[in-house]
Amino acid sequence: MSVPASATLDLARSLIQRRSVTPDDAGCQEMLAERLGACGFECQRLDFGEVINLWARLGEGQPLLAFVGHTDVVPTGPEARWHHGPFDATVEDGVLYGRGAADMKGSLAAFVTAVERFLAEGPPTRGAIAMLVTSDEEGPAVDGVARVADHLAAHGEIPEWCLVGEPSSDTRIADTVKVGRRGSLNAALTVRGTQGHVAYPHKARNPIHAVAPVIAELTETIWDQGNERFPPTTFQVSNIESGTGATNVIPGEAHVLFNLRFSTEVTAQALIDRVEAILDRHGLDYDIEWTRSAEPFLTTDRELLEGISESVAAVTGRAPVLSTGGGTSDGRFLAPHGSQVVELGPVNATIHQVDERVTVAELDTLSAIYERLLHRMLRA
């Protein structure tokens, strides 16, 4: 069957019109499964907890190329601030407006239409195609791809190659492809002092004063130099909380949340050890709770890297930048199982914002790149 480029816009609009605020899928995966099933995919729901996940596969054996995405979106904020309703999927002057247009229902639509056009010319001549879709990427990300990846590993179905549709593009479509991600290490620090009256500081111990020089030192610390693919590790404080609300009370505790984004040059445990050594040297009375939400990964598979770069260049006329910048994605759950992961999606300028949007041309270009990649990787 012949699928016109406008089919990508039509499907993206249908997905956006479903209010799938995380972790609610709102029927999006059912819509995708119906389209994929019509192409011959075997579609399986893999639900964990309250999260709906879709695993769809066509063909057997390796290499298995999987498209990975999510149907859940972040809350809209005050809908009155939107110029177009966040779930109206309005198209105006060649631009599609709506929550999830860029992150990432546009990519999901491009996945499906690319596969439909590819299969219209016949099945893969080697390997297989899959699609993994979750409704738990914007939320805790516990019962989504993290659980599905473990399930797939247990059943010998881990994809050799994964393309995640996160909005990777910077200023124009496909100018940037993510080929790895930094690790993410979070800390919740509690520093204990002694509460008292501000007029009698000698009878109290102010935890804010105690932790302030520690924060300064952590901020100024050079953790590593990064490497050819990764920037140096960064440290950022995200929250500081203390006090009773009164101006005449020295607080008894201070709470600090901070995050380290780290490269393959250092391990999470090495960072933990260095941070705690600084805390101990300053003589703080503290507790600290660490959460490792992602390990760094880097894609090195030459065939996949060349395939995605050539596909972008063939469609757009320019080679993409291969980057490891930005935050985390669901690729972090697949890479530890051996998948080689790249990420390519729309321009990320408006993600999570009021009036989130993509151009229609972006969606059509994205679908064409995905189709080209399928030909490159699965049709000898």
Side-chain angles (χ1 to χ4, degrees):
M1 59 183 172
S2 177
V3 180
S6 60
T8 305
L9 172 62
D10 291 343
L11 180 53
R13 293 190 67 201
S14 295
L15 291 168
I16 290 168
Q17 287 165 353
R18 295 179 179 267
R19 291 177 172 262
S20 56
V21 177
T22 191
D24 188 5
D25 172 72
C28 291
Q29 291 180 36
E30 183 178 352
M31 183 188 306
L32 296 173
E34 183 176 346
R35 292 283 285 264
L36 294 171
C39 295
F41 280 76
E42 180 181 344
C43 298
Q44 181 182 8
R45 271 185 57 163
L46 297 173
D47 299 352
F48 297 100
E50 298 180 356
V51 175
I52 296 173
N53 304 292
L54 171 66
W55 173 247
R57 178 169 179 157
L58 184 145
E60 298 296 331
Q62 294 283 355
L64 174 59
L65 171 61
F67 294 99
V68 181
H70 60 90
T71 55
D72 59 321
V73 299
V74 296
T76 64
E79 293 195 18
R81 293 181 56 197
W82 289 66
H83 291 89
H84 304 285
F87 300 105
D88 291 347
T90 301
V91 178
E92 184 177 275
D93 297 328
V95 177
L96 171 62
Y97 293 84
R99 177 57 84 224
D103 189 13
M104 57 170 289
K105 292 181 176 181
S107 296
L108 292 173
F111 287 165
V112 171
T113 56
V115 167
E116 288 173 338
R117 290 195 306 275
F118 173 77
L119 293 176
E121 300 179 25
T125 57
R126 67 166 184 156
I129 311 171
M131 194 170 298
L132 169 55
V133 185
T134 184
S135 62
D136 184 36
E137 197 275 345
E138 300 290 7
V142 171
D143 290 325
V145 173
R147 293 286 298 274
V148 176
D150 290 342
H151 172 88
L152 295 177
H155 290 78
E157 285 196 284
I158 284 293
E160 181 174 343
W161 301 315
C162 289
L163 192 154
V164 182
E166 287 294 333
S168 66
S169 302
D170 186 19
T171 59
R172 55 182 177 174
I173 189 66
D175 60 359
T176 304
V177 173
K178 304 292 186 184
V179 296
R181 292 282 190 167
R182 294 176 296 173
S184 180
L185 181 63
N186 302 291
L189 172 66
T190 298
V191 178
R192 289 181 290 270
T194 303
Q195 185 173 313
H197 197 294
V198 295
Y200 302 94
H202 58 288
K203 296 183 178 181
R205 185 161 48 95
N206 194 320
I208 300 175
H209 294 183
V211 78
V214 175
I215 293 173
E217 181 171 344
L218 292 171
T219 302
E220 295 168 1
T221 296
I222 297 174
W223 305 96
D224 56 64
Q225 299 296 329
N227 55 35
E228 181 183 2
R229 282 296 187 188
F230 287 92
T233 295
T234 61
F235 170 90
Q236 287 291 313
V237 174
S238 55
N239 283 274
I240 300 177
E241 181 182 17
S242 189
T244 64
T247 60
N248 60 351
V249 178
I250 294 171
E253 289 187 342
H255 305 276
V256 183
L257 302 181
F258 60 85
N259 173 270
L260 292 122
R261 294 297 169 106
F262 61 101
S263 73
T264 51
E265 285 295 298
V266 66
T267 65
Q269 189 58 53
L271 292 172
I272 291 171
D273 291 344
R274 289 185 66 185
V275 169
E276 292 186 355
I278 292 171
L279 297 174
D280 292 340
R281 180 159 45 77
H282 282 263
L284 297 185
D285 180 8
Y286 72 92
D287 289 322
I288 190 165
E289 181 178 343
W290 295 97
T291 305
R292 191 180 319 178
S293 55
E295 291 288 347
F297 69 89
L298 179 66
T299 294
T300 58
D301 185 281
R302 182 174 296 275
E303 187 176 4
L304 179 59
L305 294 176
E306 290 179 352
I308 193 67
S309 295
E310 187 278 334
S311 298
V312 170
V315 174
T316 68
R318 22 180 192 83
V321 173
L322 303 183
S323 169
T324 60
T328 60
S329 77
D330 276 342
R332 71 189 189 273
F333 301 122
L334 293 154
H337 289 287
S339 289
Q340 295 287 297
V341 180
V342 294
E343 301 176 31
L344 174 60
V347 173
N348 57 30
T350 64
I351 60 174
H352 293 205
Q353 295 183 12
V354 168
D355 290 332
E356 181 180 347
R357 57 197 177 273
V358 295
T359 67
V360 175
E362 278 183 69
L363 298 181
D364 292 338
T365 299
L366 199 58
S367 181
I369 294 170
Y370 294 160
E371 181 187 5
R372 177 84 180 195
L373 183 66
L374 285 165
H375 281 281
R376 171 73 185 246
M377 308 304 288
L378 299 182
R379 190 160 281 156

